[in-house]
Amino acid sequence: MEKKECFYLGKIVKKYSFKGELLAKLDTDQPDLYEHLDALFIEINNSLIPYFVEKSQLHKSDLLRLKLEDVSNENEADQLLKKDLYLPLELLPKLEGNTFYYHEIIGFQVIDENFGLVGQITAVNDTTSQALFEINHNGKEILIPINDEIITHLDRKAKIISVKTPPGLIELYLD
């Protein structure tokens, strides 16, 4: 399976026992959704390697304790430390309303209530304290905060996100 067909679940952060158990830090607001996994992918040398899960359970709220098949001792567990975990995209829970996953809105058009067609979302920048839509407007980049107060409607079928930005925000990028 290729990485583009998967979503990032988290990272293996430490060993849990001498029997090869591992603790993974999950990148989710709902860790309980992933408490009973059958299998997952671990990125090793830029390849996604499938692992079957013998047992998994939440540990201290945001950590997932994993017992993987074919990992039965500390040495085997050591090889997986600091590795990224992935799951197929079809395992993501479906979202409704104005909620979305960042990867699913790439290519959507953004229409502002006052400005009109802003452009197409090319990426989401979530490295800042406030996640931002990166929008291509005739070759210029416009950044709009991803905020419940700004997003007024999401139309998945038409691939349109309607927004109401503060006056002057879009024009800042066009001068």
Side-chain angles (χ1 to χ4, degrees), residues 15-160:
K15 297 181 288 187
Y16 183 76
S17 74
F18 65 91
K19 295 179 183 177
E21 289 181 289
L22 298 158
L23 290 177
K25 172 87 170 111
L26 300 182
D27 183 34
T28 178
D29 296 335
Q30 300 173 301
D32 53 311
L33 293 176
Y34 306 102
E35 187 170 9
H36 303 290
L37 296 172
D38 295 324
L40 49 74
F41 292 93
I42 300 177
E43 186 175 25
I44 300 172
N45 298 326
N46 294 321
S47 295
L48 294 184
I49 309 299
Y51 279 84
F52 289 103
V53 179
E54 286 180 14
K55 183 180 169 190
S56 64
Q57 68 186 58
L58 287 178
H59 179 80
K60 296 184 181 175
S61 74
D62 65 345
L63 294 176
L64 185 67
R65 182 175 159 189
L66 293 166
K67 176 64 179 116
L68 304 174
E69 279 187 17
D70 301 324
V71 179
S72 56
N73 60 52
E74 286 186 83
N75 289 339
E76 292 168 344
D78 280 336
Q79 303 303 311
L80 300 176
L81 286 177
K82 307 292 182 226
K83 302 290 187 209
D84 291 337
L85 304 175
Y86 291 87
L87 286 175
L89 284 172
E90 60 263 15
L91 294 181
L92 274 175
K94 296 291 181 223
L95 298 179
E96 296 179 354
N98 287 349
T99 59
F100 53 85
Y101 294 111
Y102 292 162
H103 71 270
E104 79 175 300
I105 55 150
I106 304 302
F108 277 39
Q109 296 294 323
V110 176
I111 298 175
D112 182 67
E113 190 175 290
N114 298 313
F115 183 83
L117 178 64
V118 180
Q120 186 176 56
I121 297 173
T122 57
V124 171
N125 180 344
D126 63 352
T127 60
T128 60
S129 60
Q130 170 72 59
L132 302 166
F133 292 125
E134 294 181 6
I135 302 165
N136 178 8
H137 177 82
N138 300 326
K140 291 189 178 189
E141 182 181 64
I142 294 176
L143 303 175
I144 295 178
I146 299 175
N147 182 306
D148 290 341
E149 295 172 15
I150 290 176
I151 299 168
T152 58
H153 184 69
L154 176 83
D155 185 336
R156 285 182 169 78
K157 286 187 178 155
K159 295 190 171 204
I160 294 173

Side-chain angles (χ1 to χ4, degrees), residues 154-170:
L154 176 83
D155 185 336
R156 285 182 169 78
K157 286 187 178 155
K159 295 190 171 204
I160 294 173
I161 295 180
S162 301
V163 297
K164 183 177 181 181
T165 60
L169 176 69
I170 295 169

